[in-house]
Amino acid sequence: MPAAQATFSAVLVDELVRAGLRHAVICPGSRSTPLAMAFATDTRVSVHVRLDERSAGFFALGVGLESGVPACLVTTSGTAAAEVHAAVVEAHQARVPLIVCTADRPPELHGVGAPQTVEQAGLFSGAVRFACDLGVPDLAAAASWRSLASRLFAEACASPAGPGPVHLNVAYRDPLDTPPGDLPPGRSAGRPWHAVVPAPRLPDDRLAEMLSTARRPLIVAGARCGDPDLVLRVAAELAIPVLADPRSGCRRVTGAAPVVAAADALLRAPSFAHSHRPDLVVRLGEAWASKVVNAWLDGAGNSAGNGADNGFEQILVDPFGEWRDPGRTVASVLRARPDDLLSGLLDAVPPALQVEVGWAASWAQAEALAQGAIGARLDDLAAGGELVEPAVARALAASPDVGTLVVASSMPVRDLEWFSAPRPGYPRVLANRGANGIDGLVSTTLGVACSSGSADGAGGSAVVAGPVVGVVGDLAFLHDLTALLRAAPVPESAGAHGDRCGLLVVDNAGGGIFSFLGQARSVERARFEQLFGTPQANDVAELARAAGCSVFDVDGPEKFQGELDRWLREVEAGSAAPPVLVCRTDRARNVEVHDELNAAVALALRG
């Protein structure tokens, strides 16, 4: 039986590698010894050892988010397995491939008070694409092992519900360190046991018919909108404005496609929001973070915005037909890959046949006015000695030295969405927007960095050259501080050190996003700070130094650009510990700054 355990583990690793797996994230533990040894002794796999299972889960998530290929996460039994749940939920809701292998105690140790024993079968129920509780490996079932391993990879990448997490729970008996026997043979030429081949999609002419008669069509592009080049080509040739989320890959200056980045500020102006109502909206990919943009789409056709008929058609394109419509205003869900749908439009729709004259140009003109107003107001604030959060986001997006931004789901993603300007070479943007939590963001960034450039990512954008930069608030940084803990280097280990990765921490002494909510006005100030603002006693820069990171500390605009450039040079050089740039801002003032920027855009539109 012990030989069966080690042999099964070796077969599992070999078959996952045949399918395409390249990264394993292992947490120390005894019960998982057969799995850990199988990965560590296979030179085809980069092994990353992480102390904290919660951090390890998000690190593995980052690998899948960046590459579109799952990493395999290995934990021991007990609460170690439970710690992974948050990352599994994020992977499930964000459609990120992830393989979780949890070691378990054998059946005879369950229900008798044995240590490190919890009910692990079905632990992630409702949040996985596929789950298997194997029990103790038995040589009598060896003929099924390669099939099981291959299915784990296939379900993580190509489940009917889309990519996502899978869970294998394996029980192991003592002794745990017996070497494996001969492996059952695999398929010839190193092929995986199973391969999922997507069926060809038949052309769907419904969207083409609707676009042929639309007077005011609009594309709203978010993460996973498809090939950004194709989206922008369709927009240019059919004269359709594109509201481009930074995660879409479409926030680029092309000279032809009318790309709109400042939609949040523009649609806060009532006259503009009313005069620019579309008659057809095509939603590609995930929704914007902006409540203003989403509320406008949900209520643009009626004053109540309560889910009634909006007076215009909204089409949601989703490759898996998932109902991603919180406002309940979408008329049709087209189950299709965006690229499949868009590629046929250029031949099926006469260029701008019915589009209202000046429709796209009016959006482009408003975008230019908004970007000019935002830039001018931020320049004034810098001249007045203020380092403000929108300026930090805008500067990062404008930097040619950033390849990928991994942004927190609180204010960082919003500041990037609302205030960064389109440009050639706009960086790739990733975020954990499945469940929108702040947990695991540093770990996710490190996972993205370790696999950066290995493949096209799950976000659908082409990989951009340049280092990976994580942008988090101080609370998110503190929440995931254990991500910076790392084992001493082992010379023969692969892929564990030297990634080009940096962290920018916006330190406003608390939870900045809460200052924008009603609680900031309805709750007494001291109570608000206690329950929502939650300033911490520990200094971010000191903790980063204690973790071995070099730290660049900025509290004003006069040295911000210089420190930013110096920090990025160190990030580009690569290091075991990510360099940290701490930007200290004023949380209360931040709300006023956002209001001032939006007011500047409204004034520019009136002018």
Side-chain angles (χ1 to χ4, degrees), residues 40 45-49 488-497:
V45 180
S46 293
V47 172
H48 312 270
V49 178
V490 179
E492 62 270 21
S493 66
H497 303 287

Side-chain angles (χ1 to χ4, degrees), residues 117-131:
T117 306
V118 301
E119 185 54 60
Q120 293 176 204
L123 183 62
F124 310 125
S125 179
V128 288
R129 301 294 187 266
F130 172 71

Side-chain angles (χ1 to χ4, degrees), residues 505-518:
V505 183
V506 179
D507 185 358
N508 55 27
I513 196 168
F514 292 107
S515 296
F516 290 83
L517 304 181

Side-chain angles (χ1 to χ4, degrees), residues 294-447:
N294 293 321
W296 179 75
L297 290 171
D298 290 340
N302 65 88
S303 58
N306 56 6
D309 182 4
N310 277 344
F312 65 88
E313 202 81 0
Q314 294 200 59
I315 307 299
L316 174 65
V317 180
D318 188 275
F320 310 104
E322 186 173 349
W323 208 276
R324 297 196 168 205
D325 178 30
R328 301 177 183 270
T329 54
V330 167
S332 300
V333 177
L334 299 187
R335 185 190 296 267
R337 291 178 62 247
D339 291 354
D340 293 339
L341 206 61
L342 293 172
S343 59
L345 286 179
L346 296 176
D347 295 329
V349 181
L353 180 65
Q354 299 291 332
V355 176
E356 181 181 293
V357 174
W359 170 243
S362 68
W363 279 96
Q365 181 184 20
E367 168 71 11
L369 289 170
Q371 294 299 340
I374 291 169
R377 182 58 189 146
L378 290 177
D379 288 344
D380 290 343
L381 292 169
E386 292 189 73
L387 178 62
V388 297
E389 295 174 28
V392 173
R394 193 171 174 91
L396 275 176
S399 173
D401 299 320
V402 175
T404 298
L405 288 171
V406 183
V407 290
S409 285
S410 49
M411 288 310 297
V413 72
R414 288 169 170 81
D415 283 337
L416 196 70
E417 183 180 271
W418 301 347
F419 302 118
S420 68
R423 69 173 179 88
Y426 191 93
R428 184 160 174 247
V429 178
L430 302 173
N432 287 344
R433 293 290 296 170
N436 299 337
I438 71 164
D439 44 346
L441 291 165
V442 176
S443 301
T444 300
T445 300
L446 298 178

Side-chain angles (χ1 to χ4, degrees), residues 70-463:
C72 186
L73 172 64
V74 176
T75 79
T76 191
S77 63
T79 57
E83 290 282 350
V84 179
H85 205 157
V88 170
V89 168
E90 174 62 29
H92 164 59
Q93 297 194 189
R95 294 178 184 163
V96 177
L98 174 67
I99 298 171
V100 179
C101 292
T102 54
D104 202 351
R105 313 285 270 190
E108 62 271 18
L109 293 182
H110 279 257
V112 293
Q116 284 188 286
T117 306
V118 301
E119 185 54 60
Q120 293 176 204
L123 183 62
F124 310 125
S125 179
V128 288
R129 301 294 187 266
F130 172 71
C132 175
D133 183 33
L134 185 71
V136 179
D138 185 343
L139 286 174
S144 68
W145 290 349
R146 287 193 178 274
S147 174
L148 172 60
S150 190
R151 183 178 178 184
L152 283 169
F153 192 94
E155 292 278 12
C157 296
S159 164
V166 297
H167 178 210
L168 175 65
N169 190 55
V170 189
Y172 290 111
R173 288 192 176 101
D174 291 322
L176 299 168
D177 56 355
T178 305
D182 293 334
L183 274 58
R187 295 201 187 276
S188 61
R191 293 178 297 150
W193 200 258
H194 302 298
V196 176
V197 180
R201 296 188 182 275
L202 298 176
D204 190 315
D205 58 2
R206 284 173 293 178
L207 182 57
E209 291 174 358
M210 298 178 74
L211 283 172
S212 295
T213 59
R215 297 277 293 159
R216 291 180 154 207
L218 187 67
I219 293 174
V220 180
R224 297 176 177 83
C225 68
D227 180 0
D229 291 332
L230 183 56
V231 175
L232 295 176
R233 183 184 168 203
V234 168
E237 296 200 17
L238 302 182
I240 305 177
V242 180
L243 306 193
D245 179 302
R247 297 179 300 142
S248 68
C250 295
R251 192 167 279 198
R252 294 189 253 144
V253 176
T254 66
V259 174
V260 179
D264 180 88
L266 292 172
L267 294 174
R268 290 174 188 266
S271 60
F272 181 89
H274 178 75
S275 65
H276 284 73
R277 287 180 58 244
D279 60 4
L280 176 66
V281 174
V282 181
R283 295 189 179 187
L284 303 175
E286 298 176 13
W288 281 48
S290 168
K291 285 186 177 181
V292 172
V293 171
N294 293 321
W296 179 75
L297 290 171
D298 290 340
N302 65 88
S303 58
N306 56 6
D309 182 4
N310 277 344
F312 65 88
E313 202 81 0
Q314 294 200 59
I315 307 299
L316 174 65
V317 180
D318 188 275
F320 310 104
E322 186 173 349
W323 208 276
R324 297 196 168 205
D325 178 30
R328 301 177 183 270
T329 54
V330 167
S332 300
V333 177
L334 299 187
R335 185 190 296 267
R337 291 178 62 247
D339 291 354
D340 293 339
L341 206 61
L342 293 172
S343 59
L345 286 179
L346 296 176
D347 295 329
V349 181
L353 180 65
Q354 299 291 332
V355 176
E356 181 181 293
V357 174
W359 170 243
S362 68
W363 279 96
Q365 181 184 20
E367 168 71 11
L369 289 170
Q371 294 299 340
I374 291 169
R377 182 58 189 146
L378 290 177
D379 288 344
D380 290 343
L381 292 169
E386 292 189 73
L387 178 62
V388 297
E389 295 174 28
V392 173
R394 193 171 174 91
L396 275 176
S399 173
D401 299 320
V402 175
T404 298
L405 288 171
V406 183
V407 290
S409 285
S410 49
M411 288 310 297
V413 72
R414 288 169 170 81
D415 283 337
L416 196 70
E417 183 180 271
W418 301 347
F419 302 118
S420 68
R423 69 173 179 88
Y426 191 93
R428 184 160 174 247
V429 178
L430 302 173
N432 287 344
R433 293 290 296 170
N436 299 337
I438 71 164
D439 44 346
L441 291 165
V442 176
S443 301
T444 300
T445 300
L446 298 178
V448 167
C450 87
S451 57
S452 181
S454 59
D456 281 357
S461 303
V463 173

